[in-house]
Amino acid sequence: AQSVTQLGSHVSVSEGALVLLRCNYSSSVPPYLFWYVQYPNQGLQLLLKYTSAATLVKGINGFEAEFKKSETSFHLTKPSAHMSDAAEYFCAVAFSRGGADGLTFGKGTHLIIQP
Amino acid sequence: GAGVSQSPSNKVTEKGKDVELRCDPISGHTALYWYRQSLGQGLEFLIYFQGNSAPDKSGLPSDRFSAERTGGSVSTLTIQRTQQEDSAVYLCASRGFLDTQYFGPGTRLTVL
């Protein structure tokens, strides 16, 4: 079965430090990859998406992610963390084009920002 | 513009009762998805609608779960004879350009 792995259920960084959240996926190159953010008691908000147009993808709130085919990775980064970035982050993959199989999600990474 | 809306936002029910959850997708989106989010299982895909049709219902957790969509718009997820393990947040999403899914705020279901 296809799978998405997020390394680290919790990541803690200091305010102003680099944020790195890791995501790896199984199988061959999938059509689309996504990062979503979830704030407490809210739904999922799209941060960014990879659609094969460019390997480095820029999203909202200063986040970006790089697709690396050789490493089957799609890690999320932000140069300087803000307190408002504290949330749960999910990597998701659409393994089949057309979307009939839904998205496969990683288990999420809780980002903690230390003042 | 209006996003995906879901109602109710919270639902507390007693074990054995039926519940109905509603999703209003983004206008014009023909594809709609239901997911379940729970502490133990993370985010699970339940069912997909293209228009009013759901080609594959195998993702539904049991035969107590059913879903329908009418008029290519509103969808309802029904859980019959609820059990405590059904307690979760149920998320709905509709799909736009390049397979991007936009999520609603979810319905938090608590079965006592």
Side-chain angles (χ1 to χ4, degrees), chain B residues 18-96:
Chain B
D18 297 352
V19 296
E20 195 171 275
L21 313 180
R22 176 188 167 107
C23 172
D24 250 300
I26 293 171
S27 178
H29 284 189
T30 58
L32 182 148
Y33 301 79
W34 284 97
Y35 294 84
R36 180 170 71 174
Q37 184 176 25
S38 57
L39 280 175
Q41 301 298 322
L43 276 150
E44 305 170 83
F45 165 63
L46 298 181
I47 193 167
Y48 154 74
F49 284 91
Q50 179 58 48
N52 293 332
S53 174
D56 182 359
K57 300 181 181 180
S58 63
L60 295 174
S62 76
D63 58 8
R64 295 185 293 103
F65 286 71
S66 62
E68 66 174 15
R69 189 178 184 196
T70 54
S73 182
V74 171
S75 175
T76 54
L77 178 68
T78 302
I79 309 173
Q80 296 179 308
R81 305 181 303 281
T82 52
Q83 304 294 313
Q84 288 183 332
E85 62 261 28
D86 299 334
S87 295
V89 176
Y90 291 83
L91 292 165
C92 174
S94 66
R95 192 184 77 211

Side-chain angles (χ1 to χ4, degrees), chain A residues 80-99:
Chain A
S80 177
H82 293 168
M83 295 300 291
S84 60
D85 294 329
E88 191 84 16
Y89 291 79
F90 293 93
C91 180
V93 177
F95 283 105
S96 63
R97 206 172 283 277

Side-chain angles (χ1 to χ4, degrees), chain A residues 37-51:
Chain A
V37 60
Q38 187 176 36
Y39 297 100
N41 299 315
Q42 295 187 26
L44 300 173
Q45 180 182 2
L46 179 69
L47 270 180
L48 50 79
K49 61 188 176 189
Y50 167 75
T51 59

Side-chain angles (χ1 to χ4, degrees), chain A residues 1-8 20-30 32-35 65-76 89-95 103-109:
Chain A
Q2 314 282 28
S3 64
V4 179
T5 303
Q6 290 184 240
L7 189 62
L20 170 60
L21 304 183
R22 300 177 188 274
C23 174
N24 288 87
Y25 56 91
S26 65
S27 193
S28 56
V29 178
Y32 305 122
L33 302 104
F34 306 85
W35 275 98
E66 186 172 9
F67 170 67
K68 292 187 176 180
K69 179 180 177 180
S70 61
E71 298 177 7
T72 60
S73 69
F74 190 55
H75 302 331
L76 182 71
Y89 291 79
F90 293 93
C91 180
V93 177
F95 283 105
L103 294 175
T104 300
F105 283 88
K107 295 213 176 285
T109 297

